[in-house]
Amino acid sequence: MEKLLFSKSDELLHEFFKDLTPIEMSQIGLMGGWAVHYTLKNKDVVHLESRDIDIFFDPAKIKPALIEEKLEKMGFHRHSTFRWAKYFDSETEKELNLEQVKTHPSYNTSTIYFDIATPAKIPHTMPEPLLKKVFGKEKQFIKIKGVEVMVPSPKILVEMKLKSSPERSDTFKRTKDIADLYMLLKSHP
């Protein structure tokens, strides 16, 4: 099941970014575990993949509706305040719609989450003040399967991981944050 989550998450991440316009690419970026994974991969460092996809955007320049429409076209459904979800049968890897999820056994359901962050609080996003630094030049562009994607600088990724790991109640996510933090510090002294 974990392998399904990683491969599907990576596939959906690429699908989201591959068709963005150059202007959208300069205002929509990737953060979290996948940003760490690809930042390290671009330095030939092998590191853990991620399950969730965390993106960010500047709402002063990109309308939230653009993000929402793109996620809906990709088959995601609003899950909570800042989270979108897409469901799969863990054995067959077939996508499940919302009606099917209601009756599908939870032990055989895999969920990919798309989390949305912005530098300031707006409806349906997670506020992340450190993103102000990203839009203020503390960013880089990395290649993900041939697509240039904006990510926070390694320094900002470290700050984000230092901020998030103590707040985690989920042991897997806390451990992943610490592993991300360790590899960022080791490869970006």
Side-chain angles (χ1 to χ4, degrees):
M1 181 157 48
E2 285 295 315
K3 188 165 176 58
L4 166 68
L5 289 174
F6 295 142
S7 64
K8 283 285 185 196
S9 181
D10 192 27
E11 178 185 310
L12 292 165
L13 151 68
H14 183 257
E15 182 181 337
F16 179 85
F17 282 100
K18 73 178 182 175
D19 295 326
L20 294 179
T21 67
I23 291 171
E24 293 167 344
M25 287 292 228
S26 70
Q27 300 302 321
I28 302 171
L30 179 67
M31 57 190 257
W34 279 117
V36 172
H37 171 81
Y38 279 109
T39 295
L40 295 169
K41 186 174 183 171
N42 278 262
K43 290 184 66 104
D44 295 322
V45 176
V46 176
H47 185 58
L48 303 169
E49 296 172 309
S50 191
R51 297 185 298 189
D52 300 342
I53 303 163
D54 303 291
I55 64 162
F56 63 91
F57 70 99
D58 182 351
K61 299 190 175 148
I62 297 289
K63 291 186 167 115
L66 177 115
I67 306 289
E68 293 173 4
E69 287 168 16
K70 187 158 183 66
L71 290 174
E72 286 172 355
K73 283 182 186 170
M74 291 174 62
F76 281 86
H77 307 280
R78 188 178 301 283
H79 181 269
S80 58
T81 308
F82 60 86
R83 181 165 262 196
W84 291 68
K86 188 170 184 171
Y87 307 96
F88 297 90
D89 180 293
S90 300
E91 289 177 16
T92 66
E93 299 186 17
K94 288 180 118 181
E95 187 176 334
L96 302 170
N97 65 37
L98 289 178
E99 288 305 309
Q100 292 169 316
V101 169
K102 290 177 185 174
T103 58
H104 197 75
S106 60
Y107 63 84
N108 195 27
T109 302
S110 294
T111 308
I112 304 289
Y113 293 106
F114 227 107
D115 296 342
I116 303 173
T118 52
K121 180 75 177 136
I122 65 166
H124 309 298
T125 67
M126 172 182 61
E128 176 48 81
L130 288 169
L131 291 172
K132 291 175 187 165
K133 293 181 178 182
V134 175
F135 288 113
K137 306 284 185 242
E138 291 199 47
K139 62 185 167 219
Q140 61 184 350
F141 287 85
I142 59 172
K143 286 254 191 214
I144 299 177
K145 299 178 184 176
V147 177
E148 290 276 326
V149 176
M150 177 176 49
V151 297
S153 68
K155 176 183 176 265
I156 298 297
L157 286 171
V158 165
E159 287 182 44
M160 288 175 166
K161 292 297 177 177
L162 283 170
K163 180 180 162 191
S164 67
S165 56
E167 299 170 356
R168 299 279 196 194
S169 57
D170 180 322
T171 305
F172 174 85
K173 287 183 177 259
R174 186 176 332 109
T175 303
K176 174 74 168 64
D177 280 348
I178 293 167
D180 288 348
L181 185 57
Y182 173 78
M183 289 305 291
L184 281 166
L185 292 170
K186 183 178 177 187
S187 64
H188 294 84

